[in-house]
Amino acid sequence: MTAAVAGAAVAWWRTRPTLALLAGFAMYAADLLLGTVPAPVFLPLVLLFAATVVLGRRPVGYAVLAAGYALAVSVPVPGWDAPTLASAVGLAAWFLVLAVAAELVRVRRQARQAREAGLAGEARTRREQALRRAGDERLRIARDLHDVLAHQLALITVQANAGLALLPRDPQAVEQALTAIKDAGNSALGEVRAVLDALRAPESGDVPYRPSPRLSQPGDLAELLDGARAAGLRVATEIEDALPSLPVPVDQAAYRIAQEAVTNAIRHAGAGATVGLRLSCADDRLELTVTDDGGGRPRGGASGGGNGLPGMRERAMAFGGALTTGPVPGGGYRVAAVLPVGGAW
């Protein structure tokens, strides 16, 4: 009966190791106190002790081990020789071997669990980093789409309104407006296509999407300012001759800030206004200022969606820079960005 109960207790070794060990030990003690040879209970008790130590219930396990040893050397078993010093020492050695074996299994199990936890943590960190990169990428693409569409559609709207106003009396001016609309539309389609191509490309952590226009590229800057001139603005530039080589991400962010600032001038200052672009570099900082005098004739239908200023500020802050915007005394509006150029991106 006691052997059956001890054997059944083994089934609880994983879910209730302490209770199972105590039940097995109770059967062992009952056999001794009843004068029965407890041999059939030994194996279940050894397994339950090892499980208790391995699963972290070491104080209970060693308390039961000590109590079992005390009973074994003090309670005589009918038909067995009385305990002697030699048998007590031998039993202690066997119990020590049992304890060492249980400890080795416990240490190996903990090392394996720590290794598995480390691998799981690394996998979780990689997933979080991938999600964060994907979120940053989506935000960057959303900003680029906003900047491209806002700028080119503002040009298209201004030229369309101008063409409609000039249609009755100046066909040549209408032709120029339609040409500007065509050029702006083609440019917008090209940049949107580049963004969509990046979205369709296979995922690659090594080749993140980066928009192509850069402020330091004369062709990109000339195209931006030509669009402003086509919209009827007068453009004045002040660019430092010895600009250093700019990090590509900073260069691209500066272009997008300038693009949005010029777009706002087209929308709100209107044809006839003067917009000035100043670009300089000092103390490892790129300083970009776009100012309009507010002296134009803004046309209806070119209002923005309210994301331009937050987008510019986010671009500047992403590189540890700053953006200040506000009206200019006497009329007009100024956008001033400062971007560090000494970092590694």
Side-chain angles (χ1 to χ4, degrees):
M1 180 64 181
T2 54
V5 174
V10 175
W12 297 347
W13 73 272
R14 185 181 293 274
T15 57
R16 298 286 191 273
T18 300
L19 181 60
L21 178 63
L22 293 176
F25 179 72
M27 296 304 99
Y28 169 76
D31 277 350
L32 287 179
L33 296 176
L34 293 174
T36 304
V37 176
V41 183
F42 285 160
L43 182 58
L45 194 56
V46 167
L47 294 175
L48 292 171
F49 165 76
T52 304
V53 173
V54 169
L55 296 178
R57 277 73 167 182
R58 299 169 69 209
V60 175
Y62 286 114
V64 169
L65 186 67
Y69 177 77
L71 286 175
V73 298
S74 61
V75 179
V77 177
W80 287 15
D81 294 335
T84 63
L85 179 61
S87 64
V89 172
L91 184 61
W94 279 110
F95 276 29
L96 180 61
V97 170
L98 175 62
V100 170
E103 287 293 338
L104 288 175
V105 174
R106 180 184 66 84
V107 170
R108 291 189 62 181
R109 182 175 184 269
Q110 288 182 343
R112 185 180 68 254
Q113 289 177 336
R115 185 166 58 252
E116 292 173 351
L119 293 175
E122 291 175 2
R124 184 168 56 253
T125 299
R126 286 194 297 270
R127 288 195 299 271
E128 291 173 353
Q129 290 175 346
L131 289 174
R132 186 161 53 249
R133 284 195 300 268
D136 293 343
E137 204 66 16
R138 285 194 295 269
L139 181 59
R140 183 185 300 121
I141 291 172
R143 288 173 183 157
D144 288 339
L145 281 174
H146 170 272
D147 293 344
V148 168
L149 295 177
H151 179 72
Q152 301 296 352
L153 291 178
L155 293 178
I156 289 172
T157 302
V158 168
Q159 294 296 339
N161 287 331
L164 290 173
L166 295 171
L167 183 60
R169 61 181 186 274
D170 195 343
Q172 185 176 1
V174 173
E175 181 181 355
Q176 293 175 349
L178 292 176
T179 301
I181 290 173
K182 181 195 71 173
D183 294 340
N186 288 337
S187 178
L189 286 175
E191 293 202 49
V192 170
R193 187 178 296 113
V195 173
L196 296 179
D197 287 343
L199 289 175
R200 293 191 187 102
E203 285 191 23
S204 172
D206 298 330
V207 188
Y209 166 71
R210 287 195 172 102
S212 55
R214 289 191 276 170
L215 197 63
S216 64
Q217 298 296 319
D220 294 338
L221 181 58
E223 183 178 354
L224 175 63
L225 299 180
D226 287 345
R229 294 187 183 96
L233 275 69
R234 293 186 291 269
V235 177
T237 59
E238 182 182 347
I239 300 177
E240 188 176 282
D241 292 334
L243 284 177
S245 178
L246 301 176
V248 172
V250 174
D251 202 356
Q252 293 165 346
Y255 177 89
R256 293 303 187 189
I257 292 173
Q259 183 183 51
E260 181 62 28
V262 171
T263 301
N264 288 341
I266 293 171
R267 287 194 188 118
H268 304 297
T274 298
V275 60
L277 185 146
R278 183 178 182 276
L279 189 61
S280 64
C281 198
D283 299 328
D284 289 332
R285 298 187 308 169
L286 177 67
E287 298 179 0
L288 166 67
T289 305
V290 178
T291 308
D292 70 76
D293 61 4
R297 302 180 304 279
R299 299 181 182 272
S303 61
N307 294 319
L309 293 180
M312 288 191 288
R313 185 165 288 108
E314 288 171 0
R315 288 185 185 277
M317 293 176 63
F319 298 99
L323 182 87
T324 57
T325 62
V328 177
Y333 202 83
R334 176 185 292 116
V335 174
V338 178
L339 300 175
V341 297
W345 294 282

